[in-house]
Short mmCIF file of all heavy atoms in Angstrom, two decimals:
data_model
loop_
_atom_site.label_atom_id
_atom_site.label_comp_id
_atom_site.label_asym_id
_atom_site.label_seq_id
_atom_site.Cartn_x
_atom_site.Cartn_y
_atom_site.Cartn_z
N MET A 17 2.28 -2.88 -19.88
CA MET A 17 1.84 -1.47 -19.89
C MET A 17 1.05 -1.19 -18.61
O MET A 17 0.15 -1.95 -18.27
CB MET A 17 0.96 -1.21 -21.11
CG MET A 17 1.75 -1.19 -22.40
SD MET A 17 0.68 -0.97 -23.83
CE MET A 17 -0.05 -2.57 -23.98
N PRO A 18 1.43 -0.17 -17.95
CA PRO A 18 0.74 0.14 -16.69
C PRO A 18 -0.68 0.63 -16.94
O PRO A 18 -0.94 1.41 -17.84
CB PRO A 18 1.60 1.23 -16.07
CG PRO A 18 2.36 1.83 -17.20
CD PRO A 18 2.50 0.76 -18.24
N ILE A 19 -1.56 0.13 -16.13
CA ILE A 19 -2.95 0.59 -16.18
C ILE A 19 -3.27 1.20 -14.83
O ILE A 19 -3.00 0.62 -13.80
CB ILE A 19 -3.90 -0.58 -16.46
CG1 ILE A 19 -3.55 -1.25 -17.79
CG2 ILE A 19 -5.34 -0.09 -16.47
CD1 ILE A 19 -4.34 -2.51 -18.05
N PHE A 20 -3.83 2.38 -14.86
CA PHE A 20 -4.20 3.04 -13.62
C PHE A 20 -5.68 3.34 -13.63
O PHE A 20 -6.27 3.58 -14.68
CB PHE A 20 -3.39 4.33 -13.44
CG PHE A 20 -1.91 4.07 -13.31
CD1 PHE A 20 -1.08 4.29 -14.39
CD2 PHE A 20 -1.38 3.59 -12.12
CE1 PHE A 20 0.29 4.04 -14.30
CE2 PHE A 20 -0.03 3.34 -12.02
CZ PHE A 20 0.81 3.56 -13.10
N GLU A 21 -6.24 3.32 -12.45
CA GLU A 21 -7.65 3.63 -12.32
C GLU A 21 -7.82 5.05 -11.80
O GLU A 21 -7.05 5.50 -10.95
CB GLU A 21 -8.33 2.65 -11.36
CG GLU A 21 -8.55 1.28 -11.97
CD GLU A 21 -9.35 0.41 -11.03
OE1 GLU A 21 -8.83 0.04 -9.97
OE2 GLU A 21 -10.49 0.11 -11.34
N PHE A 22 -8.82 5.68 -12.30
CA PHE A 22 -9.12 7.03 -11.86
C PHE A 22 -10.60 7.14 -11.52
O PHE A 22 -11.42 6.45 -12.10
CB PHE A 22 -8.78 8.06 -12.95
CG PHE A 22 -7.31 8.15 -13.23
CD1 PHE A 22 -6.72 7.33 -14.17
CD2 PHE A 22 -6.52 9.04 -12.53
CE1 PHE A 22 -5.36 7.40 -14.43
CE2 PHE A 22 -5.15 9.12 -12.77
CZ PHE A 22 -4.58 8.30 -13.72
N ARG A 23 -10.89 8.02 -10.59
CA ARG A 23 -12.27 8.27 -10.23
C ARG A 23 -12.58 9.74 -10.44
O ARG A 23 -11.86 10.61 -9.97
CB ARG A 23 -12.52 7.90 -8.76
CG ARG A 23 -13.99 8.08 -8.35
CD ARG A 23 -14.21 7.68 -6.90
NE ARG A 23 -13.38 8.47 -6.02
CZ ARG A 23 -12.54 7.97 -5.13
NH1 ARG A 23 -12.41 6.69 -5.00
NH2 ARG A 23 -11.82 8.76 -4.39
N CYS A 24 -13.65 9.96 -11.14
CA CYS A 24 -14.07 11.33 -11.41
C CYS A 24 -14.63 11.96 -10.13
O CYS A 24 -15.44 11.35 -9.45
CB CYS A 24 -15.14 11.32 -12.50
SG CYS A 24 -15.80 12.96 -12.86
N THR A 25 -14.15 13.14 -9.82
CA THR A 25 -14.63 13.80 -8.61
C THR A 25 -15.98 14.48 -8.84
O THR A 25 -16.62 14.92 -7.92
CB THR A 25 -13.62 14.85 -8.12
OG1 THR A 25 -13.42 15.82 -9.14
CG2 THR A 25 -12.29 14.19 -7.79
N GLU A 26 -16.38 14.58 -10.08
CA GLU A 26 -17.64 15.23 -10.40
C GLU A 26 -18.81 14.25 -10.36
O GLU A 26 -19.81 14.47 -9.70
CB GLU A 26 -17.56 15.90 -11.78
CG GLU A 26 -16.59 17.06 -11.84
CD GLU A 26 -17.03 18.22 -10.95
OE1 GLU A 26 -18.24 18.50 -10.88
OE2 GLU A 26 -16.15 18.84 -10.32
N CYS A 27 -18.67 13.15 -11.11
CA CYS A 27 -19.80 12.22 -11.21
C CYS A 27 -19.51 10.88 -10.54
O CYS A 27 -20.39 10.04 -10.42
CB CYS A 27 -20.19 12.01 -12.67
SG CYS A 27 -18.98 11.06 -13.63
N GLY A 28 -18.27 10.70 -10.06
CA GLY A 28 -17.95 9.49 -9.32
C GLY A 28 -17.66 8.28 -10.18
O GLY A 28 -17.44 7.18 -9.68
N ASP A 29 -17.61 8.47 -11.47
CA ASP A 29 -17.33 7.35 -12.37
C ASP A 29 -15.88 6.90 -12.20
O ASP A 29 -14.98 7.72 -12.07
CB ASP A 29 -17.58 7.77 -13.82
CG ASP A 29 -17.46 6.59 -14.76
OD1 ASP A 29 -18.19 5.61 -14.56
OD2 ASP A 29 -16.63 6.63 -15.68
N VAL A 30 -15.68 5.59 -12.18
CA VAL A 30 -14.33 5.03 -12.09
C VAL A 30 -13.98 4.38 -13.41
O VAL A 30 -14.77 3.61 -13.96
CB VAL A 30 -14.23 3.99 -10.95
CG1 VAL A 30 -12.85 3.35 -10.91
CG2 VAL A 30 -14.54 4.66 -9.61
N PHE A 31 -12.82 4.71 -13.93
CA PHE A 31 -12.42 4.15 -15.21
C PHE A 31 -10.93 3.86 -15.19
O PHE A 31 -10.18 4.37 -14.37
CB PHE A 31 -12.78 5.10 -16.36
CG PHE A 31 -12.09 6.44 -16.27
CD1 PHE A 31 -10.93 6.68 -17.01
CD2 PHE A 31 -12.59 7.43 -15.46
CE1 PHE A 31 -10.29 7.91 -16.94
CE2 PHE A 31 -11.95 8.68 -15.38
CZ PHE A 31 -10.80 8.90 -16.12
N GLU A 32 -10.52 3.01 -16.10
CA GLU A 32 -9.12 2.66 -16.20
C GLU A 32 -8.47 3.40 -17.35
O GLU A 32 -9.10 3.67 -18.37
CB GLU A 32 -8.97 1.15 -16.44
CG GLU A 32 -9.42 0.31 -15.27
CD GLU A 32 -9.24 -1.17 -15.56
OE1 GLU A 32 -9.08 -1.53 -16.74
OE2 GLU A 32 -9.26 -1.95 -14.60
N LYS A 33 -7.22 3.74 -17.15
CA LYS A 33 -6.48 4.42 -18.20
C LYS A 33 -5.17 3.68 -18.45
O LYS A 33 -4.42 3.42 -17.53
CB LYS A 33 -6.19 5.87 -17.79
CG LYS A 33 -5.48 6.67 -18.86
CD LYS A 33 -6.38 6.95 -20.03
CE LYS A 33 -5.64 7.75 -21.10
NZ LYS A 33 -6.51 8.03 -22.26
N LEU A 34 -4.96 3.34 -19.67
CA LEU A 34 -3.74 2.64 -20.06
C LEU A 34 -2.67 3.65 -20.46
O LEU A 34 -2.91 4.52 -21.28
CB LEU A 34 -4.05 1.71 -21.22
CG LEU A 34 -2.88 0.87 -21.77
CD1 LEU A 34 -2.46 -0.17 -20.74
CD2 LEU A 34 -3.30 0.19 -23.05
N PHE A 35 -1.52 3.51 -19.82
CA PHE A 35 -0.43 4.41 -20.15
C PHE A 35 0.57 3.70 -21.06
O PHE A 35 1.17 2.70 -20.68
CB PHE A 35 0.28 4.88 -18.89
CG PHE A 35 -0.52 5.89 -18.12
CD1 PHE A 35 -1.49 5.48 -17.22
CD2 PHE A 35 -0.32 7.24 -18.33
CE1 PHE A 35 -2.23 6.40 -16.51
CE2 PHE A 35 -1.06 8.17 -17.63
CZ PHE A 35 -2.02 7.75 -16.72
N VAL A 36 0.73 4.22 -22.24
CA VAL A 36 1.69 3.66 -23.17
C VAL A 36 2.99 4.45 -23.03
O VAL A 36 2.99 5.67 -23.06
CB VAL A 36 1.16 3.75 -24.61
CG1 VAL A 36 2.17 3.14 -25.58
CG2 VAL A 36 -0.18 3.05 -24.72
N GLY A 37 4.08 3.72 -22.88
CA GLY A 37 5.36 4.35 -22.56
C GLY A 37 5.80 5.40 -23.54
O GLY A 37 6.40 6.39 -23.17
N SER A 38 5.49 5.21 -24.80
CA SER A 38 5.99 6.13 -25.81
C SER A 38 5.09 7.34 -25.99
O SER A 38 5.41 8.25 -26.73
CB SER A 38 6.13 5.41 -27.16
OG SER A 38 4.86 4.92 -27.57
N ASP A 39 3.97 7.31 -25.31
CA ASP A 39 3.02 8.41 -25.45
C ASP A 39 3.04 9.27 -24.20
O ASP A 39 2.58 8.86 -23.16
CB ASP A 39 1.62 7.85 -25.70
CG ASP A 39 0.60 8.95 -25.94
OD1 ASP A 39 1.01 10.13 -26.02
OD2 ASP A 39 -0.59 8.64 -26.05
N ASP A 40 3.60 10.45 -24.32
CA ASP A 40 3.68 11.31 -23.14
C ASP A 40 2.58 12.36 -23.13
O ASP A 40 2.56 13.27 -22.34
CB ASP A 40 5.06 11.99 -23.07
CG ASP A 40 5.31 12.91 -24.26
OD1 ASP A 40 4.47 12.92 -25.19
OD2 ASP A 40 6.33 13.60 -24.25
N SER A 41 1.64 12.20 -24.03
CA SER A 41 0.54 13.17 -24.07
C SER A 41 -0.78 12.45 -23.76
O SER A 41 -1.67 12.39 -24.58
CB SER A 41 0.47 13.85 -25.43
OG SER A 41 0.26 12.87 -26.44
N VAL A 42 -0.79 11.87 -22.58
CA VAL A 42 -1.98 11.13 -22.17
C VAL A 42 -3.08 12.11 -21.78
O VAL A 42 -2.86 13.03 -21.00
CB VAL A 42 -1.66 10.21 -20.97
CG1 VAL A 42 -2.91 9.49 -20.50
CG2 VAL A 42 -0.60 9.20 -21.36
N GLU A 43 -4.21 11.90 -22.36
CA GLU A 43 -5.35 12.75 -22.03
C GLU A 43 -6.16 12.11 -20.92
O GLU A 43 -6.59 10.97 -21.03
CB GLU A 43 -6.21 12.94 -23.27
CG GLU A 43 -7.31 13.96 -23.06
CD GLU A 43 -8.07 14.17 -24.36
OE1 GLU A 43 -8.96 13.37 -24.66
OE2 GLU A 43 -7.77 15.16 -25.06
N LEU A 44 -6.30 12.84 -19.87
CA LEU A 44 -7.04 12.32 -18.74
C LEU A 44 -8.30 13.12 -18.53
O LEU A 44 -8.27 14.28 -18.11
CB LEU A 44 -6.17 12.41 -17.47
CG LEU A 44 -5.16 11.28 -17.28
CD1 LEU A 44 -4.33 11.56 -16.04
CD2 LEU A 44 -5.85 9.96 -17.16
N LYS A 45 -9.41 12.48 -18.85
CA LYS A 45 -10.68 13.10 -18.48
C LYS A 45 -11.75 12.03 -18.36
O LYS A 45 -11.64 10.94 -18.92
CB LYS A 45 -11.07 14.20 -19.46
CG LYS A 45 -11.26 13.72 -20.88
CD LYS A 45 -11.56 14.94 -21.76
CE LYS A 45 -11.72 14.53 -23.21
NZ LYS A 45 -11.96 15.71 -24.06
N CYS A 46 -12.77 12.37 -17.65
CA CYS A 46 -13.85 11.44 -17.37
C CYS A 46 -14.60 11.06 -18.64
O CYS A 46 -15.00 11.94 -19.40
CB CYS A 46 -14.81 12.07 -16.36
SG CYS A 46 -16.25 11.06 -16.02
N PRO A 47 -14.75 9.75 -18.89
CA PRO A 47 -15.48 9.32 -20.08
C PRO A 47 -16.97 9.59 -19.97
O PRO A 47 -17.70 9.54 -20.98
CB PRO A 47 -15.19 7.82 -20.16
CG PRO A 47 -14.90 7.41 -18.77
CD PRO A 47 -14.24 8.60 -18.11
N GLN A 48 -17.43 9.83 -18.77
CA GLN A 48 -18.86 10.05 -18.57
C GLN A 48 -19.25 11.51 -18.74
O GLN A 48 -20.18 11.84 -19.47
CB GLN A 48 -19.27 9.58 -17.17
CG GLN A 48 -19.20 8.08 -16.99
CD GLN A 48 -20.17 7.33 -17.89
OE1 GLN A 48 -21.30 7.75 -18.10
NE2 GLN A 48 -19.73 6.21 -18.43
N CYS A 49 -18.53 12.38 -18.04
CA CYS A 49 -18.93 13.79 -18.07
C CYS A 49 -17.87 14.69 -18.71
O CYS A 49 -18.13 15.85 -18.98
CB CYS A 49 -19.28 14.29 -16.66
SG CYS A 49 -17.87 14.42 -15.56
N GLY A 50 -16.68 14.12 -18.94
CA GLY A 50 -15.67 14.89 -19.66
C GLY A 50 -14.86 15.85 -18.82
O GLY A 50 -13.99 16.54 -19.33
N CYS A 51 -15.11 15.87 -17.52
CA CYS A 51 -14.34 16.79 -16.69
C CYS A 51 -12.95 16.20 -16.42
O CYS A 51 -12.70 15.02 -16.62
CB CYS A 51 -15.07 17.08 -15.39
SG CYS A 51 -14.95 15.77 -14.18
N GLU A 52 -12.05 17.04 -15.97
CA GLU A 52 -10.66 16.62 -15.79
C GLU A 52 -10.23 16.62 -14.33
O GLU A 52 -9.04 16.59 -14.04
CB GLU A 52 -9.75 17.52 -16.61
CG GLU A 52 -10.06 17.44 -18.10
CD GLU A 52 -9.17 18.38 -18.93
OE1 GLU A 52 -8.45 19.18 -18.32
OE2 GLU A 52 -9.22 18.27 -20.15
N THR A 53 -11.19 16.67 -13.44
CA THR A 53 -10.85 16.62 -12.02
C THR A 53 -11.00 15.18 -11.56
O THR A 53 -12.10 14.69 -11.32
CB THR A 53 -11.77 17.54 -11.19
OG1 THR A 53 -13.13 17.22 -11.47
CG2 THR A 53 -11.51 18.99 -11.55
N LEU A 54 -9.85 14.50 -11.45
CA LEU A 54 -9.85 13.07 -11.20
C LEU A 54 -9.00 12.73 -9.98
O LEU A 54 -7.97 13.35 -9.75
CB LEU A 54 -9.31 12.32 -12.41
CG LEU A 54 -9.98 12.64 -13.74
CD1 LEU A 54 -9.18 12.01 -14.87
CD2 LEU A 54 -11.40 12.14 -13.76
N ASP A 55 -9.44 11.72 -9.26
CA ASP A 55 -8.62 11.14 -8.21
C ASP A 55 -8.04 9.83 -8.73
O ASP A 55 -8.72 9.07 -9.40
CB ASP A 55 -9.46 10.82 -6.97
CG ASP A 55 -9.77 12.07 -6.19
OD1 ASP A 55 -8.98 13.03 -6.25
OD2 ASP A 55 -10.81 12.08 -5.51
N ARG A 56 -6.80 9.60 -8.40
CA ARG A 56 -6.22 8.33 -8.83
C ARG A 56 -6.60 7.23 -7.83
O ARG A 56 -6.50 7.40 -6.63
CB ARG A 56 -4.70 8.45 -8.90
CG ARG A 56 -4.04 7.18 -9.40
CD ARG A 56 -2.57 7.38 -9.60
NE ARG A 56 -2.30 8.35 -10.66
CZ ARG A 56 -1.16 8.99 -10.79
NH1 ARG A 56 -0.21 8.82 -9.93
NH2 ARG A 56 -0.99 9.82 -11.79
N VAL A 57 -7.07 6.13 -8.38
CA VAL A 57 -7.40 4.97 -7.56
C VAL A 57 -6.34 3.91 -7.81
O VAL A 57 -6.10 3.51 -8.95
CB VAL A 57 -8.79 4.41 -7.94
CG1 VAL A 57 -9.12 3.20 -7.06
CG2 VAL A 57 -9.85 5.48 -7.81
N LEU A 58 -5.72 3.50 -6.73
CA LEU A 58 -4.64 2.53 -6.89
C LEU A 58 -5.18 1.12 -6.83
O LEU A 58 -5.86 0.72 -5.91
CB LEU A 58 -3.60 2.72 -5.78
CG LEU A 58 -2.86 4.05 -5.86
CD1 LEU A 58 -1.86 4.13 -4.71
CD2 LEU A 58 -2.14 4.20 -7.17
N SER A 59 -4.88 0.36 -7.84
CA SER A 59 -5.28 -1.03 -7.92
C SER A 59 -4.04 -1.90 -7.85
O SER A 59 -3.16 -1.80 -8.70
CB SER A 59 -6.04 -1.29 -9.22
OG SER A 59 -6.18 -2.67 -9.42
N GLN A 60 -3.97 -2.74 -6.85
CA GLN A 60 -2.78 -3.55 -6.67
C GLN A 60 -2.58 -4.50 -7.85
O GLN A 60 -1.47 -4.73 -8.30
CB GLN A 60 -2.91 -4.35 -5.36
CG GLN A 60 -1.57 -4.84 -4.84
CD GLN A 60 -0.66 -3.68 -4.43
OE1 GLN A 60 -1.15 -2.62 -4.05
NE2 GLN A 60 0.64 -3.86 -4.52
N THR A 61 -3.68 -5.03 -8.33
CA THR A 61 -3.59 -5.96 -9.47
C THR A 61 -3.02 -5.27 -10.70
O THR A 61 -2.11 -5.76 -11.34
CB THR A 61 -4.98 -6.52 -9.82
OG1 THR A 61 -5.50 -7.19 -8.69
CG2 THR A 61 -4.89 -7.49 -10.98
N ASN A 62 -3.56 -4.11 -10.98
CA ASN A 62 -3.08 -3.39 -12.14
C ASN A 62 -1.64 -2.92 -11.95
O ASN A 62 -0.88 -2.83 -12.90
CB ASN A 62 -3.98 -2.18 -12.41
CG ASN A 62 -5.33 -2.62 -12.95
OD1 ASN A 62 -5.47 -3.74 -13.44
ND2 ASN A 62 -6.31 -1.76 -12.85
N TYR A 63 -1.32 -2.63 -10.70
CA TYR A 63 0.04 -2.20 -10.41
C TYR A 63 1.02 -3.32 -10.76
O TYR A 63 2.03 -3.11 -11.40
CB TYR A 63 0.15 -1.81 -8.94
CG TYR A 63 1.59 -1.70 -8.46
CD1 TYR A 63 2.42 -0.68 -8.95
CD2 TYR A 63 2.10 -2.61 -7.55
CE1 TYR A 63 3.73 -0.58 -8.52
CE2 TYR A 63 3.41 -2.50 -7.12
CZ TYR A 63 4.23 -1.49 -7.61
OH TYR A 63 5.51 -1.41 -7.19
N VAL A 64 0.68 -4.54 -10.39
CA VAL A 64 1.54 -5.68 -10.70
C VAL A 64 1.62 -5.90 -12.20
O VAL A 64 2.66 -6.14 -12.77
CB VAL A 64 1.04 -6.95 -9.98
CG1 VAL A 64 1.84 -8.17 -10.44
CG2 VAL A 64 1.14 -6.78 -8.48
N MET A 65 0.48 -5.78 -12.84
CA MET A 65 0.44 -5.95 -14.29
C MET A 65 1.30 -4.92 -15.01
O MET A 65 1.81 -5.17 -16.09
CB MET A 65 -0.99 -5.81 -14.79
CG MET A 65 -1.86 -7.00 -14.45
SD MET A 65 -3.57 -6.72 -14.94
CE MET A 65 -3.40 -6.45 -16.70
N GLY A 66 1.43 -3.77 -14.36
CA GLY A 66 2.16 -2.68 -15.00
C GLY A 66 3.67 -2.88 -14.99
O GLY A 66 4.38 -2.14 -15.65
N ALA A 67 4.13 -3.85 -14.23
CA ALA A 67 5.56 -4.07 -14.16
C ALA A 67 6.02 -4.88 -15.36
O ALA A 67 6.14 -6.09 -15.30
CB ALA A 67 5.91 -4.79 -12.86
N GLY A 68 6.20 -4.23 -16.44
CA GLY A 68 6.54 -4.91 -17.68
C GLY A 68 8.00 -5.34 -17.71
O GLY A 68 8.81 -4.81 -16.96
N PRO A 69 8.30 -6.28 -18.56
CA PRO A 69 9.67 -6.77 -18.67
C PRO A 69 10.60 -5.68 -19.18
O PRO A 69 10.33 -5.04 -20.20
CB PRO A 69 9.55 -7.92 -19.67
CG PRO A 69 8.31 -7.65 -20.44
CD PRO A 69 7.39 -6.92 -19.49
N GLY A 70 11.68 -5.47 -18.46
CA GLY A 70 12.66 -4.49 -18.89
C GLY A 70 12.28 -3.05 -18.65
O GLY A 70 13.07 -2.15 -18.82
N GLY A 71 11.05 -2.85 -18.25
CA GLY A 71 10.59 -1.49 -18.04
C GLY A 71 10.74 -1.07 -16.60
O GLY A 71 10.81 -1.90 -15.71
N ALA A 72 10.77 0.22 -16.39
CA ALA A 72 10.82 0.71 -15.03
C ALA A 72 9.47 0.49 -14.37
O ALA A 72 8.43 0.60 -15.02
CB ALA A 72 11.17 2.20 -15.02
N LYS A 73 9.51 0.16 -13.11
CA LYS A 73 8.26 -0.11 -12.41
C LYS A 73 7.77 1.14 -11.71
O LYS A 73 8.57 1.89 -11.16
CB LYS A 73 8.48 -1.21 -11.37
CG LYS A 73 8.90 -2.53 -12.00
CD LYS A 73 9.15 -3.56 -10.90
CE LYS A 73 9.62 -4.87 -11.52
NZ LYS A 73 9.91 -5.89 -10.48
N PRO A 74 6.48 1.31 -11.72
CA PRO A 74 5.93 2.39 -10.90
C PRO A 74 6.28 2.16 -9.45
O PRO A 74 6.26 1.03 -8.97
CB PRO A 74 4.41 2.27 -11.11
CG PRO A 74 4.26 1.52 -12.39
CD PRO A 74 5.46 0.59 -12.46
N LYS A 75 6.64 3.21 -8.77
CA LYS A 75 7.08 3.08 -7.39
C LYS A 75 5.94 3.50 -6.46
O LYS A 75 5.50 4.65 -6.50
CB LYS A 75 8.31 3.96 -7.18
CG LYS A 75 8.88 3.90 -5.77
CD LYS A 75 10.13 4.77 -5.73
CE LYS A 75 10.46 5.14 -4.30
NZ LYS A 75 11.55 6.14 -4.26
N LEU A 76 5.52 2.53 -5.67
CA LEU A 76 4.40 2.78 -4.77
C LEU A 76 4.91 2.93 -3.35
O LEU A 76 5.60 2.06 -2.84
CB LEU A 76 3.42 1.60 -4.86
CG LEU A 76 2.11 1.74 -4.10
CD1 LEU A 76 1.27 2.85 -4.73
CD2 LEU A 76 1.36 0.43 -4.14
N THR A 77 4.59 4.04 -2.75
CA THR A 77 5.05 4.29 -1.40
C THR A 77 3.85 4.46 -0.48
O THR A 77 2.99 5.30 -0.72
CB THR A 77 5.92 5.57 -1.35
OG1 THR A 77 7.00 5.41 -2.26
CG2 THR A 77 6.47 5.79 0.05
N GLU A 78 3.82 3.64 0.55
CA GLU A 78 2.72 3.73 1.50
C GLU A 78 3.14 4.58 2.68
O GLU A 78 4.26 4.49 3.16
CB GLU A 78 2.35 2.32 1.99
CG GLU A 78 1.17 2.32 2.95
CD GLU A 78 0.82 0.90 3.39
OE1 GLU A 78 1.00 -0.03 2.58
OE2 GLU A 78 0.39 0.76 4.53
N LYS A 79 2.24 5.39 3.14
CA LYS A 79 2.54 6.21 4.30
C LYS A 79 1.27 6.45 5.09
O LYS A 79 0.16 6.24 4.59
CB LYS A 79 3.17 7.53 3.87
CG LYS A 79 2.28 8.36 2.97
CD LYS A 79 3.00 9.61 2.50
CE LYS A 79 2.10 10.44 1.59
NZ LYS A 79 2.77 11.67 1.13
N SER A 80 1.46 6.88 6.30
CA SER A 80 0.31 7.16 7.15
C SER A 80 -0.06 8.62 7.06
O SER A 80 0.80 9.49 7.01
CB SER A 80 0.62 6.79 8.60
OG SER A 80 0.87 5.41 8.70
N CYS A 81 -1.34 8.86 7.02
CA CYS A 81 -1.81 10.23 6.96
C CYS A 81 -2.58 10.57 8.22
O CYS A 81 -2.87 9.72 9.04
CB CYS A 81 -2.70 10.43 5.72
SG CYS A 81 -1.77 10.32 4.20
N ALA A 82 -2.93 11.81 8.35
CA ALA A 82 -3.69 12.28 9.50
C ALA A 82 -5.01 11.51 9.60
O ALA A 82 -5.64 11.21 8.59
CB ALA A 82 -3.96 13.77 9.37
N GLY A 83 -5.40 11.19 10.81
CA GLY A 83 -6.64 10.46 11.00
C GLY A 83 -6.46 8.96 10.93
O GLY A 83 -7.42 8.21 11.02
N GLY A 84 -5.22 8.51 10.81
CA GLY A 84 -4.97 7.07 10.80
C GLY A 84 -5.21 6.41 9.47
O GLY A 84 -5.12 5.21 9.33
N ASN A 85 -5.53 7.20 8.47
CA ASN A 85 -5.76 6.61 7.15
C ASN A 85 -4.44 6.35 6.44
O ASN A 85 -3.46 7.05 6.66
CB ASN A 85 -6.60 7.56 6.29
CG ASN A 85 -7.98 7.74 6.87
OD1 ASN A 85 -8.59 6.81 7.36
ND2 ASN A 85 -8.45 8.98 6.83
N LYS A 86 -4.46 5.34 5.61
CA LYS A 86 -3.29 5.08 4.79
C LYS A 86 -3.45 5.80 3.47
O LYS A 86 -4.52 5.84 2.89
CB LYS A 86 -3.14 3.58 4.53
CG LYS A 86 -2.68 2.81 5.74
CD LYS A 86 -2.52 1.34 5.38
CE LYS A 86 -2.05 0.54 6.58
NZ LYS A 86 -1.96 -0.90 6.26
N CYS A 87 -2.37 6.34 3.00
CA CYS A 87 -2.40 6.89 1.66
C CYS A 87 -1.13 6.49 0.92
O CYS A 87 -0.17 6.03 1.50
CB CYS A 87 -2.61 8.39 1.65
SG CYS A 87 -1.68 9.29 2.85
N PHE A 88 -1.19 6.66 -0.35
CA PHE A 88 -0.11 6.18 -1.19
C PHE A 88 0.35 7.27 -2.13
O PHE A 88 -0.42 8.13 -2.54
CB PHE A 88 -0.58 4.99 -2.03
CG PHE A 88 -1.04 3.81 -1.22
CD1 PHE A 88 -2.36 3.70 -0.83
CD2 PHE A 88 -0.15 2.83 -0.85
CE1 PHE A 88 -2.80 2.62 -0.09
CE2 PHE A 88 -0.57 1.74 -0.10
CZ PHE A 88 -1.89 1.63 0.28
N THR A 89 1.61 7.21 -2.44
CA THR A 89 2.10 8.04 -3.53
C THR A 89 2.63 7.11 -4.61
O THR A 89 3.24 6.10 -4.33
CB THR A 89 3.22 8.98 -3.07
OG1 THR A 89 4.27 8.21 -2.50
CG2 THR A 89 2.71 9.95 -2.02
N LEU A 90 2.35 7.45 -5.83
CA LEU A 90 2.77 6.61 -6.94
C LEU A 90 3.61 7.43 -7.91
O LEU A 90 3.15 8.42 -8.45
CB LEU A 90 1.53 6.05 -7.65
CG LEU A 90 1.84 5.10 -8.81
CD1 LEU A 90 2.50 3.82 -8.32
CD2 LEU A 90 0.54 4.75 -9.54
N ASP A 91 4.83 7.00 -8.09
CA ASP A 91 5.70 7.67 -9.05
C ASP A 91 5.72 6.85 -10.33
O ASP A 91 6.13 5.70 -10.33
CB ASP A 91 7.11 7.79 -8.50
CG ASP A 91 7.15 8.67 -7.28
OD1 ASP A 91 6.44 9.70 -7.27
OD2 ASP A 91 7.87 8.34 -6.33
N ILE A 92 5.25 7.43 -11.40
CA ILE A 92 5.22 6.74 -12.68
C ILE A 92 6.49 7.07 -13.45
O ILE A 92 6.73 8.22 -13.78
CB ILE A 92 3.98 7.15 -13.48
CG1 ILE A 92 2.73 6.91 -12.65
CG2 ILE A 92 3.94 6.37 -14.79
CD1 ILE A 92 1.48 7.45 -13.32
N PRO A 93 7.29 6.06 -13.72
CA PRO A 93 8.54 6.30 -14.47
C PRO A 93 8.26 6.58 -15.94
O PRO A 93 7.16 6.33 -16.43
CB PRO A 93 9.31 5.00 -14.29
CG PRO A 93 8.25 3.97 -14.12
CD PRO A 93 7.12 4.65 -13.40
N GLY A 94 9.25 7.03 -16.62
CA GLY A 94 9.10 7.26 -18.05
C GLY A 94 8.92 8.73 -18.37
O GLY A 94 9.21 9.60 -17.56
N PRO A 95 8.44 8.97 -19.57
CA PRO A 95 8.30 10.35 -20.02
C PRO A 95 7.39 11.14 -19.11
O PRO A 95 6.37 10.64 -18.65
CB PRO A 95 7.65 10.21 -21.41
CG PRO A 95 7.96 8.81 -21.84
CD PRO A 95 8.03 8.01 -20.57
N SER A 96 7.78 12.36 -18.82
CA SER A 96 6.94 13.21 -18.00
C SER A 96 6.76 14.54 -18.70
O SER A 96 7.57 14.94 -19.53
CB SER A 96 7.57 13.41 -16.63
OG SER A 96 8.86 13.98 -16.76
N LYS A 97 5.70 15.22 -18.34
CA LYS A 97 5.40 16.48 -18.99
C LYS A 97 6.31 17.59 -18.46
O LYS A 97 6.64 17.59 -17.30
CB LYS A 97 3.95 16.85 -18.76
CG LYS A 97 3.03 15.90 -19.46
CD LYS A 97 1.55 16.24 -19.17
CE LYS A 97 0.67 15.23 -19.85
NZ LYS A 97 -0.75 15.43 -19.53
ZN1 ZN B 22 -17.32 12.53 -14.51
#
């Protein structure tokens, strides 16, 4: 089961969220302050763990952004809203 990390843009709290394949109604909000403005934090370890047997793997694409910073896009397979 893929686990993704998120960081709250309001209070800065970082938490992990487990995505269960059969549940397409994942609620995403900060456990500390309850707001829903979150940045996704990519964890390589969790990304590897998320590659379950027989399941589609999240697709991580690295690219260069303005200012020389690296950024990533992550496509999560499975049910989508
Ligand atoms: Zn928060």
